[in-house]
Amino acid sequence: MQGGSSGVGYGLKYQARCISEVKADRDHTTFLTGTLSLKEENEVHLLRLSSGGSELVCEGLFSHPNEIWDLACCPFDQRIFSTVFSTGDSFGAAIWQIPEPYGQSNSSTLECVASLDAHVGKINCVLWSPSEKSDKLISMDEQNLVLWSLDCSRKSAEVLSKESAGMRHSLSGGAWNPHDVNSVAATSESSIQFWDLRTMKMVNSIERSHVRNVDYNLKREHILVSADDESGIHLWDLRKAKVPVQELPGHTHWTWAVRCNPEYEELILSVGTDSAVNLWFASASSEKKTSESPVEASRQRVNPLLNSYTDYEDSVYGLAWSSREPWIFASLSYDGRVVIESVKPFLPKR
């Protein structure tokens, strides 16, 4: 199914690449996004979906000193988030706190809680532990993984361990396993690597070229989804990961990111440089499901693409589901356009 957009939109002042759900906000559907301007002072926007779902309201506008290349919200404190940024000459990463009170009318400066300054090369991402009781986070550059302990009250971050992936591997990003807090998947030019954080050693890998992004299925313990530059989307059963259990076509140009729905295990979103957001129906299992309805089985055999949202004028890089309302997602195109969509018409019948 092809379609435009009937979603709720919001325009940023500058170009942008990253958006994150504020999962710690239990009362509202909220997202945080940051801009990528080389010449102007950048901004972080706190966006909240109205109770009726008809308007995306800016609840806070904050200045950020550098271009934001990665942004991730703390899972246990709605005022804390991380950014990876570029000064033009080098990359850095930091943990920030949103000041109180805040509002769009009084753009204010963010408070830096801690700098993640254990890197030398280009930093790619910061991952927060999926455990809400954990103070751990990981920063990743092209060669190294660094495990941190964060103390917001003391405004400090301590390096717990640091390990090199080796010169042969150029790390680009990753995902923390929500089913195992000691396991992280890291993407590189030639493989998906699986690291044990207790030993800070790589314990397994999937040989795969040019994997752009990965995400774990929250409802299926052993399922990982990967987005490849040219060969689409692959679903892996990590118990037998020599070949993918399912392949999806992806996008007509690079598939940039994939996200598994937090509640409906069959739904996967992807974005790409073809200016589209695709919604997929995938079994996410190597085992035949006897309870599968005829409609769902037919979808999977004939065309797993449920809908393509194509009302974008630039590459789409940012993508986030809402945990609070799992039929809602936010997307962000490079021209700074945020769109909130509902997938309610495509939800699997329970």
Side-chain angles (χ1 to χ4, degrees), residues 24-197:
D25 186 351
R26 310 294 190 195
D27 301 321
H28 310 91
T29 298
T30 313
F31 300 92
L32 200 66
T33 183
T35 63
L36 189 74
S37 174
L38 180 62
K39 296 181 179 180
E40 305 292 339
E41 186 171 57
N42 283 279
E43 299 174 342
V44 171
H45 294 242
L46 181 65
L47 305 177
R48 183 167 293 163
L49 189 63
S50 63
S51 57
S54 60
E55 188 179 5
L56 195 56
V57 180
C58 181
E59 291 289 333
L61 176 61
F62 315 100
S63 58
H64 186 282
N66 305 109
E67 303 173 41
I68 302 172
W69 286 82
D70 176 76
L71 184 151
C73 292
C74 173
F76 56 82
D77 188 329
Q78 61 182 304
R79 294 175 58 206
I80 302 293
F81 67 97
S82 63
T83 62
V84 172
F85 52 85
S86 170
T87 63
D89 299 320
S90 61
F91 277 78
I95 309 300
W96 306 89
Q97 180 168 282
I98 293 174
E100 285 188 323
Y102 55 79
Q104 188 177 11
S105 59
N106 56 332
S107 175
S108 45
T109 303
L110 298 163
E111 181 180 354
C112 185
V113 175
S115 294
L116 307 181
D117 52 6
H119 296 271
V120 183
K122 177 185 176 183
I123 307 172
N124 290 309
C125 68
V126 173
L127 306 176
W128 291 86
S129 170
S131 171
E132 295 183 8
K133 298 178 181 179
S134 175
D135 61 350
K136 305 294 189 299
L137 50 87
I138 286 175
S139 57
M140 195 181 302
D141 62 40
E142 293 179 326
Q143 262 78 48
N144 302 284
L145 283 85
V146 182
L147 180 64
W148 301 82
S149 174
L150 176 67
D151 189 333
C152 291
S153 62
R154 296 186 177 182
K155 297 183 180 179
S156 66
E158 176 189 358
V159 175
L160 298 179
S161 53
K162 180 178 180 179
E163 188 61 43
S164 171
M167 296 300 292
R168 294 189 304 109
H169 304 284
S170 181
L171 301 178
S172 56
W176 206 312
N177 189 340
H179 309 287
D180 181 359
V181 294
N182 296 311
S183 179
V184 165
T187 58
S188 76
E189 290 181 347
S190 58
S191 65
I192 305 170
Q193 304 177 4
F194 299 94
W195 288 74
D196 188 328
L197 299 180

Side-chain angles (χ1 to χ4, degrees), residues 2-11 16 19 56 251 269-279 307-320 328-343:
Q2 301 291 321
S5 173
S6 58
V8 180
Y10 178 89
I19 191 167
L56 195 56
H251 292 252
L269 280 172
S270 64
V271 295
T273 52
D274 59 353
S275 306
V277 178
N278 289 342
L279 175 67
N307 197 31
S308 187
Y309 304 88
T310 56
D311 191 22
Y312 301 88
E313 297 180 359
D314 211 334
S315 297
V316 186
Y317 292 122
L319 183 62
I328 286 175
F329 72 87
S331 59
L332 172 66
S333 53
Y334 188 58
D335 55 6
R337 185 163 180 259
V338 179
V339 178
I340 303 292
E341 294 276 6
S342 171
V343 302

Side-chain angles (χ1 to χ4, degrees), residues 286-302:
S286 59
E287 302 164 2
K288 181 66 178 176
K289 294 170 68 176
T290 56
S291 60
E292 197 174 65
S293 73
V295 173
E296 291 171 348
S298 174
R299 278 174 173 171
Q300 190 169 324
R301 285 196 303 270
V302 179

Side-chain angles (χ1 to χ4, degrees), residues 199-226:
T199 60
M200 287 300 282
K201 300 296 182 185
M202 186 176 72
V203 294
N204 201 359
S205 66
I206 298 173
E207 299 305 312
R208 197 84 194 173
S209 298
H210 306 297
V211 176
R212 177 71 65 178
N213 190 238
V214 291
D215 194 31
Y216 284 93
N217 190 309
L218 285 169
K219 296 297 181 179
R220 302 301 290 263
E221 183 176 350
H222 303 287
I223 299 298
L224 181 81
V225 183
S226 66

